[in-house]
Each structure stands twice: as structure tokens, then as C-alpha cells.
Amino acid sequence: MDNLKNKDYTIDNEQLARFAKAMGHPARITILNFLASMDSCYFGDIHNELPIAKATVSQHLKELKDAGLIQGEIETPKVKYCINRDNWEKAQVYFETFFTDCKPKTTCCN
Amino acid sequence: MDNLKNKDYTIDNEQLARFAKAMGHPARITILNFLASMDSCYFGDIHNELPIAKATVSQHLKELKDAGLIQGEIETPKVKYCINRDNWEKAQVYFETFFTDCKPKTTCCN
DNA sequence: TTCGTAGTTCGCAAAATTACGAACATTAAT
DNA sequence: ATTAATGTTCGTAATTTTGCGAACTACGAA
């Protein structure tokens, strides 16, 4: 008696939304830009680029890590952060596919 | 005596984050996918694709509209929604540029 | 005029996000 | 054993997001 229409979101849409959400804050975009442009990417360097408290920076880094876009490793006494290449490319493909496949039809409003 | 370091985010980073944030929910990704694939795109059709109440759908549509990714026009008694082509392409370029320019260096951790 | 259709807006609640300072953990140097 | 340096975690507060049902608006048809 499953009356409910099965209307869950697809895995792909969930994943793309997760990547997008992680990128949905200027501080996190700035972090990603910075990380991608740097060889050494310590917490302190990142903090220095941003107009926010270190606790907040730490939180943003955690979100990017949870989304899989970056990774961190301890390099005592510092913490070195980097882009996670595999997921970075995965994200790139997700966005590319999204924008490529989703060409608005010529018959649509505009 | 402006002691504050000027550490605001760039316009571009703000804009990319705004697009990303708008895409940061599976319902909104689903909506964008659907709109891009359809010729006719009425509110009711969109609502039908989603597992959420119409009030919530309306809210998501408003957010996409505020971000500039879609537009709506009244076609009494319905409302026809569409991708906003100009901003759609703009968003595409933003994401492309982001992922292209931000290639992680080979000297980085992974 | 009354009714039905199609959406939006309102009011509310629950949860998540953003932000901060203070406290804490870890390790190295004195 | 202290102290300093580097980040993380905790506790808290303010705001935003997500979601719903109910009420509302606008319009056309009966």
C-alpha cells in the first residue's frame, strides 16, 4: 500500500548539490582559490587571507573537507591543507555535465 | 586611521558563491535540470517532479529567481518558469573559469 | 455570484549556518 | 616545568534555511 509517489532526488543531483553547497560561501570560494594556487597551504596562511576569526576558518575548512573538496594533514606544528584532486575533478565533471546537458531549449521563453 | 586590513571578498567570489549557493539543494538542482529539459515549464509540472509541498516549491523557485538563474512569467492562470539564459551562461563561465584556473599545483600534497 | 484552478504569501517551527571568544590539545623550545 | 605557537573544539548567539498547512489573490467558467 505504498501510496507515496517515489519522488526522492537522484544520487547525482544530491552529489552535485552537496558540492555546490560547499562552494556556496565566499569564504570557501576564497579558500579553494587560494589552496589551488599555492604550494604550501597552512591553516595560518589561509586564515590570513580571510576577514574572519580562526574558529570560523576552521569550521569552513571542515565543511570543505566533509564535502570532499579538500584534505588536511598534520605537519607539526602546523596543519597543511590541500585540494583533494580526485574529488575536485569529480566536481568539475559534475558541473560541466550539468551545464552542458542542461542547455535551455530554443523553444523556451527566452 | 583605518586599522582594519581590507579583507573583503572579491565581487567574483561573491557572485560565484551566490550561484553555487542557489544550486546547493537537490530540489533546486532538480528544478534546473527539469526546466532546462522542458519546453513548457509551469509551476504545476515542476511541483509534480518534487517530493515537497507547493509552498516549498514556490520558495525554491524564488531563490533561483533571486540568484538570477531562472525567470517566471504569468500565463494566466498558470505561471511559466524558464531558465534565464544570460545568467545561465554567466554561471557556466564562472564555474568553468573556477575549475580551470584553479588547477591544484603538482607540488601540492596529493 | 459562486465555484474551481493555479500559485503566492503568511505564520510558524525545527534545523542548519555563520560567527565569535574562550578554553583546550599538541608539540617544540627555553 | 614553563612558555609559546598552531589549530581545533566548545558554548553560545544571531540569522538563515527548509518545510508545512492555511489563508489569500487572481482569473475564468458555470
Side-chain angles (χ1 to χ4, degrees):
Chain A
M1 314 307 176
D2 190 354
N3 282 344
L4 303 168
K5 311 185 211 168
N6 180 5
K7 289 198 277 185
D8 277 350
Y9 305 114
T10 68
I11 301 291
D12 277 353
N13 282 353
E14 299 255 20
Q15 179 59 64
L16 177 53
R18 191 155 359 187
F19 282 140
K21 189 175 184 182
M23 292 172 59
H25 190 290
R28 294 197 290 268
I29 293 291
T30 305
I31 290 171
L32 292 173
N33 263 319
F34 185 70
L35 283 186
S37 73
M38 294 291 283
D39 294 350
S40 68
C41 21
Y42 297 113
F43 175 90
D45 303 324
I46 298 167
H47 180 209
N48 243 281
E49 289 291 303
L50 300 172
I52 51 181
K54 62 182 177 167
T56 310
V57 173
S58 218
Q59 271 185 160
H60 282 306
L61 288 168
K62 181 168 166 17
E63 284 178 67
L64 289 171
K65 205 160 52 175
D66 289 348
L69 291 172
I70 68 170
Q71 60 196 54
E73 68 185 89
I74 295 170
E75 209 168 86
T76 306
K78 303 192 180 180
V79 178
K80 185 167 178 174
Y81 280 100
C82 296
I83 298 290
N84 179 313
R85 290 159 167 286
D86 288 351
N87 290 328
W88 185 262
E89 277 169 39
K90 199 170 147 193
Q92 180 168 23
V93 170
Y94 263 101
F95 281 100
E96 270 173 13
T97 305
F98 177 72
F99 281 105
T100 304
D101 288 3
C102 296
K103 284 275 175 247
K105 303 227 171 185
T106 49
T107 46
C108 209
C109 327
N110 58 94
Chain B
M1 312 314 171
D2 189 355
N3 281 344
L4 302 169
K5 310 185 211 168
N6 180 4
K7 289 198 277 185
D8 277 350
Y9 304 114
T10 67
I11 301 290
D12 277 353
N13 282 353
E14 299 256 20
Q15 179 58 65
L16 177 54
R18 191 150 31 236
F19 282 139
K21 189 174 185 182
M23 293 173 59
H25 191 291
R28 294 196 291 267
I29 293 291
T30 305
I31 289 170
L32 291 173
N33 264 318
F34 183 70
L35 282 186
S37 73
M38 294 291 284
D39 293 352
S40 69
C41 21
Y42 298 113
F43 174 90
D45 303 324
I46 298 167
H47 180 210
N48 243 280
E49 289 291 302
L50 300 171
I52 51 181
K54 62 182 179 166
T56 310
V57 173
S58 218
Q59 273 186 157
H60 282 306
L61 288 168
K62 181 169 166 16
E63 285 177 67
L64 289 171
K65 204 161 52 174
D66 289 348
L69 291 172
I70 68 171
Q71 61 197 55
E73 68 185 89
I74 295 169
E75 210 168 85
T76 304
K78 304 193 181 181
V79 178
K80 185 167 178 174
Y81 281 100
C82 296
I83 299 291
N84 179 314
R85 291 160 166 285
D86 288 351
N87 290 328
W88 185 262
E89 277 170 36
K90 199 171 148 193
Q92 179 169 23
V93 170
Y94 264 101
F95 281 101
E96 269 173 14
T97 305
F98 177 73
F99 280 107
T100 304
D101 288 2
C102 296
K103 285 275 177 248
K105 303 229 171 183
T106 48
T107 47
C108 208
C109 326
N110 58 96

